[in-house]
Amino acid sequence: MSYQDIILLIDSPTEKDKELIQKAYNFALKAHEGQLRKSGEPYFVHVYETAKILADLKMDISTIVAGFLHDSIEDGVATEECIKKEFGDEILFLVNGVTKLGKVKYRGAERHIESLRKFIVASAQDIRVLIIKLADRLHNMRTINFVRPDKQRRISLETLEIYAPLAYRLSIRKLSRELEDLSFENAYPKEYKETIELKKNKKEEILSRLEKFIKSVKKALAEQGMINIHTDYRKKGVYSLFKKLETHENDIEKIYDLLAIRICVETVADCYKVLGIIHGIWRPLPGRIKDYIAFPKPNGYKSIHTTVFTGDGSVVEIQIRTFEMHHNSEYGITSHLSYKNNGDKNTEETTNWFRQLLPKIINFAQSIKNKSDNMPKWIKDLAESQDGIKTESEKDGFINDLKADFFNQRIFVFTPKGEVVDLPTGSLILDFAYAIHSDVGEHTSGARINGKMVSLHSELKNGDIVEIITNKSNKPSSKWLEIVKTNTAKRHIMNYLEKTRKK
Ligand code: MN
């Protein structure tokens, strides 16, 4: 455990970088001197490990330094003045951001919302604050067994429901997978054990078959001159398996990607070449070919997935991607935050959806002062729904809705220009049209999804590109009220119908 170990993780650090890391290391050592963690280890171990996770994610030097200092005011003996003097405004800002996030302990329903809010606001100010918090939480989860059992469960639930999904949304699979599995084990020990058992039996059965199959794939690719490739298999995380089992009648036979083969190649063209070679030999399962290169997931994930019959009576999922896509899927948004990568053209593409969300989140921050009308609906809900809530069960219901709404049941749909609109799952063309503008909604006469003409009843899916066709003579009808899903659309249609009735 030395500062040199951290420096080793940084790509070509300057002398100044090295000095700064060493300074932060010594500062943290002093700020937490004599303090112990629940595990009996020196407190310093925690901030050191947090900084290490950040260095491993290739974050910029300021973020790694802030990782060292993140508890030095709250739990240590450092002061704001002293951090400002020694490390400057930027690092103090990051440390304060993380301190603010940690202030609220999630004891009950009410506090939960409050901290969720703070969390969102702070992360909007600087996304690095959020990533330090995720690294901090990851180390806390790795050592959660030393914490009191009731606290263990609370922190695990919070991680599972708030932090892991956020890491996933930022497409940092490296973090979200571990956060999910660690918190799943503590939050739902029974389900965790059951899933592990299921997985173990099934895994042993397919592992040897899979290795044989990888050999045949490599041979087939080599025969076509494809040698500079990397193959391995990736195991599905326990929690992600559990979630998938829930939607597949708990039948593990229906989970095709329990173990998936991953093939990494140099270029995008090579990805399609590999797909062609594989489909030429092994018959693909219909409906299981997903081209996330042409149509990336909203969090930026790119890869081609296909499931093929291996010829011995079983099927296997194959994921094909470039080395760069693979790196991005593991490191997500962090691969674009590193100061070494500032000239990276892909930054815009991958972080597009997030940058689009930022103004909304910032709006929320402003709305605390004056509740303005152009606040996004889910944030307005967040602020307003609390007012009428009296009983404990109402509160619980609201929080559940909120979590489901924000983290699980939103879809991201794109305009032809690439602007992202977030809507509840199950939204239709008209919901999208009204979300853009009430004028657009009112005159909607048709639409194209991903270039194809569709009816107004069509349900939207994540990642759809939707083009609304308007016609000035088109007017809303009472039928529309029955099919729309969002309150925004309903309210506009009702207003319109009310107005015409009066006339
Ligand atoms: Mn901490």
PDB file of all heavy atoms in Angstrom, residues 170-196:
ATOM      1  N   LEU A 170     -24.219   5.041 -16.448  1.00  0.00           N
ATOM      2  CA  LEU A 170     -22.985   5.678 -16.918  1.00  0.00           C
ATOM      3  C   LEU A 170     -22.138   4.676 -17.690  1.00  0.00           C
ATOM      4  O   LEU A 170     -21.019   4.967 -18.059  1.00  0.00           O
ATOM      5  CB  LEU A 170     -22.193   6.247 -15.736  1.00  0.00           C
ATOM      6  CG  LEU A 170     -22.919   7.310 -14.919  1.00  0.00           C
ATOM      7  CD1 LEU A 170     -22.127   7.662 -13.674  1.00  0.00           C
ATOM      8  CD2 LEU A 170     -23.151   8.558 -15.762  1.00  0.00           C
ATOM      9  N   SER A 171     -22.709   3.488 -17.870  1.00  0.00           N
ATOM     10  CA  SER A 171     -22.113   2.373 -18.603  1.00  0.00           C
ATOM     11  C   SER A 171     -20.742   1.966 -18.084  1.00  0.00           C
ATOM     12  O   SER A 171     -19.892   1.549 -18.832  1.00  0.00           O
ATOM     13  CB  SER A 171     -22.096   2.643 -20.108  1.00  0.00           C
ATOM     14  OG  SER A 171     -21.219   3.684 -20.440  1.00  0.00           O
ATOM     15  N   ILE A 172     -20.531   2.107 -16.765  1.00  0.00           N
ATOM     16  CA  ILE A 172     -19.289   1.608 -16.166  1.00  0.00           C
ATOM     17  C   ILE A 172     -19.581   0.197 -15.659  1.00  0.00           C
ATOM     18  O   ILE A 172     -19.811  -0.018 -14.468  1.00  0.00           O
ATOM     19  CB  ILE A 172     -18.797   2.517 -15.020  1.00  0.00           C
ATOM     20  CG1 ILE A 172     -18.946   3.988 -15.400  1.00  0.00           C
ATOM     21  CG2 ILE A 172     -17.336   2.197 -14.684  1.00  0.00           C
ATOM     22  CD1 ILE A 172     -18.709   4.945 -14.245  1.00  0.00           C
ATOM     23  N   ARG A 173     -19.578  -0.763 -16.571  1.00  0.00           N
ATOM     24  CA  ARG A 173     -19.940  -2.136 -16.204  1.00  0.00           C
ATOM     25  C   ARG A 173     -18.981  -2.678 -15.152  1.00  0.00           C
ATOM     26  O   ARG A 173     -19.343  -3.505 -14.333  1.00  0.00           O
ATOM     27  CB  ARG A 173     -19.960  -3.043 -17.440  1.00  0.00           C
ATOM     28  CG  ARG A 173     -21.247  -2.977 -18.214  1.00  0.00           C
ATOM     29  CD  ARG A 173     -22.473  -3.209 -17.345  1.00  0.00           C
ATOM     30  NE  ARG A 173     -22.859  -4.606 -17.201  1.00  0.00           N
ATOM     31  CZ  ARG A 173     -23.585  -5.068 -16.175  1.00  0.00           C
ATOM     32  NH1 ARG A 173     -23.955  -4.262 -15.203  1.00  0.00           N
ATOM     33  NH2 ARG A 173     -23.924  -6.327 -16.125  1.00  0.00           N
ATOM     34  N   LYS A 174     -17.737  -2.229 -15.234  1.00  0.00           N
ATOM     35  CA  LYS A 174     -16.731  -2.681 -14.284  1.00  0.00           C
ATOM     36  C   LYS A 174     -17.190  -2.401 -12.852  1.00  0.00           C
ATOM     37  O   LYS A 174     -16.945  -3.193 -11.959  1.00  0.00           O
ATOM     38  CB  LYS A 174     -15.428  -1.930 -14.563  1.00  0.00           C
ATOM     39  CG  LYS A 174     -14.196  -2.790 -14.532  1.00  0.00           C
ATOM     40  CD  LYS A 174     -12.978  -1.961 -14.911  1.00  0.00           C
ATOM     41  CE  LYS A 174     -11.744  -2.432 -14.183  1.00  0.00           C
ATOM     42  NZ  LYS A 174     -11.413  -3.843 -14.370  1.00  0.00           N
ATOM     43  N   LEU A 175     -17.847  -1.283 -12.644  1.00  0.00           N
ATOM     44  CA  LEU A 175     -18.349  -0.946 -11.316  1.00  0.00           C
ATOM     45  C   LEU A 175     -19.714  -1.552 -11.046  1.00  0.00           C
ATOM     46  O   LEU A 175     -19.962  -2.115  -9.986  1.00  0.00           O
ATOM     47  CB  LEU A 175     -18.468   0.573 -11.155  1.00  0.00           C
ATOM     48  CG  LEU A 175     -17.227   1.415 -10.939  1.00  0.00           C
ATOM     49  CD1 LEU A 175     -17.626   2.848 -10.662  1.00  0.00           C
ATOM     50  CD2 LEU A 175     -16.404   0.881  -9.773  1.00  0.00           C
ATOM     51  N   SER A 176     -20.619  -1.421 -12.008  1.00  0.00           N
ATOM     52  CA  SER A 176     -22.004  -1.791 -11.727  1.00  0.00           C
ATOM     53  C   SER A 176     -22.130  -3.288 -11.451  1.00  0.00           C
ATOM     54  O   SER A 176     -22.893  -3.703 -10.592  1.00  0.00           O
ATOM     55  CB  SER A 176     -22.932  -1.364 -12.868  1.00  0.00           C
ATOM     56  OG  SER A 176     -22.716  -2.123 -14.025  1.00  0.00           O
ATOM     57  N   ARG A 177     -21.373  -4.120 -12.156  1.00  0.00           N
ATOM     58  CA  ARG A 177     -21.460  -5.564 -11.960  1.00  0.00           C
ATOM     59  C   ARG A 177     -21.068  -5.932 -10.525  1.00  0.00           C
ATOM     60  O   ARG A 177     -21.755  -6.697  -9.862  1.00  0.00           O
ATOM     61  CB  ARG A 177     -20.532  -6.266 -12.958  1.00  0.00           C
ATOM     62  CG  ARG A 177     -20.981  -7.646 -13.348  1.00  0.00           C
ATOM     63  CD  ARG A 177     -19.999  -8.273 -14.330  1.00  0.00           C
ATOM     64  NE  ARG A 177     -19.917  -7.575 -15.604  1.00  0.00           N
ATOM     65  CZ  ARG A 177     -18.782  -7.128 -16.166  1.00  0.00           C
ATOM     66  NH1 ARG A 177     -17.622  -7.294 -15.548  1.00  0.00           N
ATOM     67  NH2 ARG A 177     -18.795  -6.533 -17.329  1.00  0.00           N
ATOM     68  N   GLU A 178     -19.958  -5.373 -10.049  1.00  0.00           N
ATOM     69  CA  GLU A 178     -19.507  -5.722  -8.709  1.00  0.00           C
ATOM     70  C   GLU A 178     -20.432  -5.139  -7.643  1.00  0.00           C
ATOM     71  O   GLU A 178     -20.736  -5.797  -6.646  1.00  0.00           O
ATOM     72  CB  GLU A 178     -18.061  -5.254  -8.489  1.00  0.00           C
ATOM     73  CG  GLU A 178     -17.431  -5.896  -7.256  1.00  0.00           C
ATOM     74  CD  GLU A 178     -15.991  -5.461  -7.001  1.00  0.00           C
ATOM     75  OE1 GLU A 178     -15.344  -4.923  -7.909  1.00  0.00           O
ATOM     76  OE2 GLU A 178     -15.530  -5.678  -5.859  1.00  0.00           O
ATOM     77  N   LEU A 179     -20.891  -3.906  -7.860  1.00  0.00           N
ATOM     78  CA  LEU A 179     -21.833  -3.296  -6.914  1.00  0.00           C
ATOM     79  C   LEU A 179     -23.107  -4.130  -6.825  1.00  0.00           C
ATOM     80  O   LEU A 179     -23.626  -4.380  -5.738  1.00  0.00           O
ATOM     81  CB  LEU A 179     -22.189  -1.869  -7.352  1.00  0.00           C
ATOM     82  CG  LEU A 179     -21.141  -0.785  -7.096  1.00  0.00           C
ATOM     83  CD1 LEU A 179     -21.576   0.527  -7.748  1.00  0.00           C
ATOM     84  CD2 LEU A 179     -20.905  -0.583  -5.605  1.00  0.00           C
ATOM     85  N   GLU A 180     -23.595  -4.581  -7.951  1.00  0.00           N
ATOM     86  CA  GLU A 180     -24.811  -5.394  -7.991  1.00  0.00           C
ATOM     87  C   GLU A 180     -24.628  -6.691  -7.206  1.00  0.00           C
ATOM     88  O   GLU A 180     -25.446  -7.046  -6.359  1.00  0.00           O
ATOM     89  CB  GLU A 180     -25.150  -5.785  -9.434  1.00  0.00           C
ATOM     90  CG  GLU A 180     -25.940  -4.750 -10.196  1.00  0.00           C
ATOM     91  CD  GLU A 180     -26.121  -5.137 -11.656  1.00  0.00           C
ATOM     92  OE1 GLU A 180     -25.640  -6.226 -12.070  1.00  0.00           O
ATOM     93  OE2 GLU A 180     -26.731  -4.339 -12.390  1.00  0.00           O
ATOM     94  N   ASP A 181     -23.572  -7.396  -7.516  1.00  0.00           N
ATOM     95  CA  ASP A 181     -23.417  -8.714  -6.912  1.00  0.00           C
ATOM     96  C   ASP A 181     -23.142  -8.641  -5.410  1.00  0.00           C
ATOM     97  O   ASP A 181     -23.657  -9.449  -4.643  1.00  0.00           O
ATOM     98  CB  ASP A 181     -22.344  -9.533  -7.651  1.00  0.00           C
ATOM     99  CG  ASP A 181     -22.849  -9.987  -9.023  1.00  0.00           C
ATOM    100  OD1 ASP A 181     -24.062  -9.784  -9.287  1.00  0.00           O
ATOM    101  OD2 ASP A 181     -22.066 -10.525  -9.816  1.00  0.00           O
ATOM    102  N   LEU A 182     -22.326  -7.657  -4.987  1.00  0.00           N
ATOM    103  CA  LEU A 182     -22.044  -7.515  -3.555  1.00  0.00           C
ATOM    104  C   LEU A 182     -23.300  -7.139  -2.779  1.00  0.00           C
ATOM    105  O   LEU A 182     -23.568  -7.678  -1.704  1.00  0.00           O
ATOM    106  CB  LEU A 182     -20.977  -6.440  -3.324  1.00  0.00           C
ATOM    107  CG  LEU A 182     -19.535  -6.791  -3.700  1.00  0.00           C
ATOM    108  CD1 LEU A 182     -18.669  -5.544  -3.627  1.00  0.00           C
ATOM    109  CD2 LEU A 182     -18.986  -7.883  -2.793  1.00  0.00           C
ATOM    110  N   SER A 183     -24.097  -6.221  -3.333  1.00  0.00           N
ATOM    111  CA  SER A 183     -25.267  -5.771  -2.591  1.00  0.00           C
ATOM    112  C   SER A 183     -26.399  -6.794  -2.661  1.00  0.00           C
ATOM    113  O   SER A 183     -27.153  -6.950  -1.708  1.00  0.00           O
ATOM    114  CB  SER A 183     -25.737  -4.400  -3.080  1.00  0.00           C
ATOM    115  OG  SER A 183     -25.878  -4.381  -4.469  1.00  0.00           O
ATOM    116  N   PHE A 184     -26.486  -7.496  -3.767  1.00  0.00           N
ATOM    117  CA  PHE A 184     -27.506  -8.551  -3.905  1.00  0.00           C
ATOM    118  C   PHE A 184     -27.318  -9.598  -2.807  1.00  0.00           C
ATOM    119  O   PHE A 184     -28.267 -10.010  -2.146  1.00  0.00           O
ATOM    120  CB  PHE A 184     -27.391  -9.186  -5.293  1.00  0.00           C
ATOM    121  CG  PHE A 184     -28.367 -10.296  -5.574  1.00  0.00           C
ATOM    122  CD1 PHE A 184     -29.682 -10.220  -5.146  1.00  0.00           C
ATOM    123  CD2 PHE A 184     -27.965 -11.415  -6.301  1.00  0.00           C
ATOM    124  CE1 PHE A 184     -30.588 -11.235  -5.424  1.00  0.00           C
ATOM    125  CE2 PHE A 184     -28.862 -12.434  -6.581  1.00  0.00           C
ATOM    126  CZ  PHE A 184     -30.168 -12.353  -6.131  1.00  0.00           C
ATOM    127  N   GLU A 185     -26.082  -9.994  -2.589  1.00  0.00           N
ATOM    128  CA  GLU A 185     -25.786 -11.024  -1.591  1.00  0.00           C
ATOM    129  C   GLU A 185     -26.260 -10.606  -0.199  1.00  0.00           C
ATOM    130  O   GLU A 185     -26.805 -11.412   0.545  1.00  0.00           O
ATOM    131  CB  GLU A 185     -24.285 -11.317  -1.562  1.00  0.00           C
ATOM    132  CG  GLU A 185     -23.927 -12.419  -0.591  1.00  0.00           C
ATOM    133  CD  GLU A 185     -22.448 -12.779  -0.610  1.00  0.00           C
ATOM    134  OE1 GLU A 185     -21.684 -12.156  -1.368  1.00  0.00           O
ATOM    135  OE2 GLU A 185     -22.071 -13.691   0.142  1.00  0.00           O
ATOM    136  N   ASN A 186     -26.076  -9.324   0.130  1.00  0.00           N
ATOM    137  CA  ASN A 186     -26.448  -8.852   1.467  1.00  0.00           C
ATOM    138  C   ASN A 186     -27.909  -8.443   1.576  1.00  0.00           C
ATOM    139  O   ASN A 186     -28.510  -8.582   2.631  1.00  0.00           O
ATOM    140  CB  ASN A 186     -25.561  -7.683   1.867  1.00  0.00           C
ATOM    141  CG  ASN A 186     -24.199  -8.162   2.286  1.00  0.00           C
ATOM    142  OD1 ASN A 186     -24.047  -8.740   3.347  1.00  0.00           O
ATOM    143  ND2 ASN A 186     -23.219  -7.995   1.413  1.00  0.00           N
ATOM    144  N   ALA A 187     -28.469  -7.934   0.504  1.00  0.00           N
ATOM    145  CA  ALA A 187     -29.851  -7.471   0.554  1.00  0.00           C
ATOM    146  C   ALA A 187     -30.824  -8.644   0.484  1.00  0.00           C
ATOM    147  O   ALA A 187     -31.839  -8.671   1.160  1.00  0.00           O
ATOM    148  CB  ALA A 187     -30.116  -6.482  -0.579  1.00  0.00           C
ATOM    149  N   TYR A 188     -30.515  -9.622  -0.340  1.00  0.00           N
ATOM    150  CA  TYR A 188     -31.403 -10.785  -0.513  1.00  0.00           C
ATOM    151  C   TYR A 188     -30.597 -12.083  -0.450  1.00  0.00           C
ATOM    152  O   TYR A 188     -30.425 -12.752  -1.474  1.00  0.00           O
ATOM    153  CB  TYR A 188     -32.141 -10.695  -1.860  1.00  0.00           C
ATOM    154  CG  TYR A 188     -32.950  -9.439  -2.029  1.00  0.00           C
ATOM    155  CD1 TYR A 188     -32.482  -8.396  -2.827  1.00  0.00           C
ATOM    156  CD2 TYR A 188     -34.175  -9.289  -1.391  1.00  0.00           C
ATOM    157  CE1 TYR A 188     -33.219  -7.225  -2.983  1.00  0.00           C
ATOM    158  CE2 TYR A 188     -34.910  -8.126  -1.538  1.00  0.00           C
ATOM    159  CZ  TYR A 188     -34.429  -7.101  -2.335  1.00  0.00           C
ATOM    160  OH  TYR A 188     -35.151  -5.953  -2.481  1.00  0.00           O
ATOM    161  N   PRO A 189     -30.102 -12.435   0.766  1.00  0.00           N
ATOM    162  CA  PRO A 189     -29.198 -13.598   0.868  1.00  0.00           C
ATOM    163  C   PRO A 189     -29.812 -14.890   0.337  1.00  0.00           C
ATOM    164  O   PRO A 189     -29.116 -15.696  -0.276  1.00  0.00           O
ATOM    165  CB  PRO A 189     -28.899 -13.685   2.369  1.00  0.00           C
ATOM    166  CG  PRO A 189     -29.764 -12.709   3.050  1.00  0.00           C
ATOM    167  CD  PRO A 189     -30.330 -11.774   2.045  1.00  0.00           C
ATOM    168  N   LYS A 190     -31.111 -15.091   0.584  1.00  0.00           N
ATOM    169  CA  LYS A 190     -31.749 -16.343   0.175  1.00  0.00           C
ATOM    170  C   LYS A 190     -31.756 -16.455  -1.359  1.00  0.00           C
ATOM    171  O   LYS A 190     -31.319 -17.463  -1.919  1.00  0.00           O
ATOM    172  CB  LYS A 190     -33.187 -16.374   0.718  1.00  0.00           C
ATOM    173  CG  LYS A 190     -33.883 -17.696   0.522  1.00  0.00           C
ATOM    174  CD  LYS A 190     -35.193 -17.736   1.297  1.00  0.00           C
ATOM    175  CE  LYS A 190     -36.198 -18.624   0.584  1.00  0.00           C
ATOM    176  NZ  LYS A 190     -37.043 -17.919  -0.377  1.00  0.00           N
ATOM    177  N   GLU A 191     -32.224 -15.405  -2.005  1.00  0.00           N
ATOM    178  CA  GLU A 191     -32.288 -15.396  -3.464  1.00  0.00           C
ATOM    179  C   GLU A 191     -30.882 -15.514  -4.068  1.00  0.00           C
ATOM    180  O   GLU A 191     -30.689 -16.166  -5.088  1.00  0.00           O
ATOM    181  CB  GLU A 191     -32.953 -14.116  -3.973  1.00  0.00           C
ATOM    182  CG  GLU A 191     -34.447 -14.058  -3.770  1.00  0.00           C
ATOM    183  CD  GLU A 191     -34.846 -13.609  -2.366  1.00  0.00           C
ATOM    184  OE1 GLU A 191     -33.960 -13.469  -1.493  1.00  0.00           O
ATOM    185  OE2 GLU A 191     -36.062 -13.401  -2.146  1.00  0.00           O
ATOM    186  N   TYR A 192     -29.938 -14.871  -3.389  1.00  0.00           N
ATOM    187  CA  TYR A 192     -28.558 -14.925  -3.875  1.00  0.00           C
ATOM    188  C   TYR A 192     -28.060 -16.363  -3.888  1.00  0.00           C
ATOM    189  O   TYR A 192     -27.522 -16.845  -4.883  1.00  0.00           O
ATOM    190  CB  TYR A 192     -27.665 -14.055  -2.992  1.00  0.00           C
ATOM    191  CG  TYR A 192     -26.195 -14.093  -3.370  1.00  0.00           C
ATOM    192  CD1 TYR A 192     -25.702 -13.306  -4.397  1.00  0.00           C
ATOM    193  CD2 TYR A 192     -25.307 -14.925  -2.680  1.00  0.00           C
ATOM    194  CE1 TYR A 192     -24.366 -13.332  -4.746  1.00  0.00           C
ATOM    195  CE2 TYR A 192     -23.961 -14.958  -3.017  1.00  0.00           C
ATOM    196  CZ  TYR A 192     -23.494 -14.164  -4.052  1.00  0.00           C
ATOM    197  OH  TYR A 192     -22.169 -14.201  -4.393  1.00  0.00           O
ATOM    198  N   LYS A 193     -28.269 -17.061  -2.749  1.00  0.00           N
ATOM    199  CA  LYS A 193     -27.804 -18.445  -2.650  1.00  0.00           C
ATOM    200  C   LYS A 193     -28.454 -19.330  -3.697  1.00  0.00           C
ATOM    201  O   LYS A 193     -27.794 -20.154  -4.336  1.00  0.00           O
ATOM    202  CB  LYS A 193     -28.098 -18.994  -1.250  1.00  0.00           C
ATOM    203  CG  LYS A 193     -26.897 -18.868  -0.333  1.00  0.00           C
ATOM    204  CD  LYS A 193     -27.077 -19.685   0.953  1.00  0.00           C
ATOM    205  CE  LYS A 193     -26.371 -18.993   2.106  1.00  0.00           C
ATOM    206  NZ  LYS A 193     -27.261 -18.511   3.150  1.00  0.00           N
ATOM    207  N   GLU A 194     -29.766 -19.163  -3.861  1.00  0.00           N
ATOM    208  CA  GLU A 194     -30.494 -19.973  -4.846  1.00  0.00           C
ATOM    209  C   GLU A 194     -29.944 -19.760  -6.256  1.00  0.00           C
ATOM    210  O   GLU A 194     -29.754 -20.709  -7.011  1.00  0.00           O
ATOM    211  CB  GLU A 194     -31.987 -19.621  -4.821  1.00  0.00           C
ATOM    212  CG  GLU A 194     -32.718 -20.219  -3.638  1.00  0.00           C
ATOM    213  CD  GLU A 194     -34.106 -19.625  -3.447  1.00  0.00           C
ATOM    214  OE1 GLU A 194     -34.536 -18.811  -4.314  1.00  0.00           O
ATOM    215  OE2 GLU A 194     -34.742 -19.956  -2.437  1.00  0.00           O
ATOM    216  N   THR A 195     -29.693 -18.494  -6.573  1.00  0.00           N
ATOM    217  CA  THR A 195     -29.207 -18.185  -7.916  1.00  0.00           C
ATOM    218  C   THR A 195     -27.815 -18.762  -8.130  1.00  0.00           C
ATOM    219  O   THR A 195     -27.515 -19.320  -9.182  1.00  0.00           O
ATOM    220  CB  THR A 195     -29.185 -16.656  -8.143  1.00  0.00           C
ATOM    221  OG1 THR A 195     -30.420 -16.117  -7.694  1.00  0.00           O
ATOM    222  CG2 THR A 195     -29.005 -16.323  -9.612  1.00  0.00           C
ATOM    223  N   ILE A 196     -26.965 -18.638  -7.103  1.00  0.00           N
ATOM    224  CA  ILE A 196     -25.609 -19.184  -7.179  1.00  0.00           C
ATOM    225  C   ILE A 196     -25.654 -20.696  -7.439  1.00  0.00           C
ATOM    226  O   ILE A 196     -24.923 -21.222  -8.278  1.00  0.00           O
ATOM    227  CB  ILE A 196     -24.855 -18.912  -5.848  1.00  0.00           C
ATOM    228  CG1 ILE A 196     -24.425 -17.456  -5.784  1.00  0.00           C
ATOM    229  CG2 ILE A 196     -23.667 -19.829  -5.686  1.00  0.00           C
ATOM    230  CD1 ILE A 196     -23.143 -17.143  -6.526  1.00  0.00           C
TER     231      ILE A 196
END
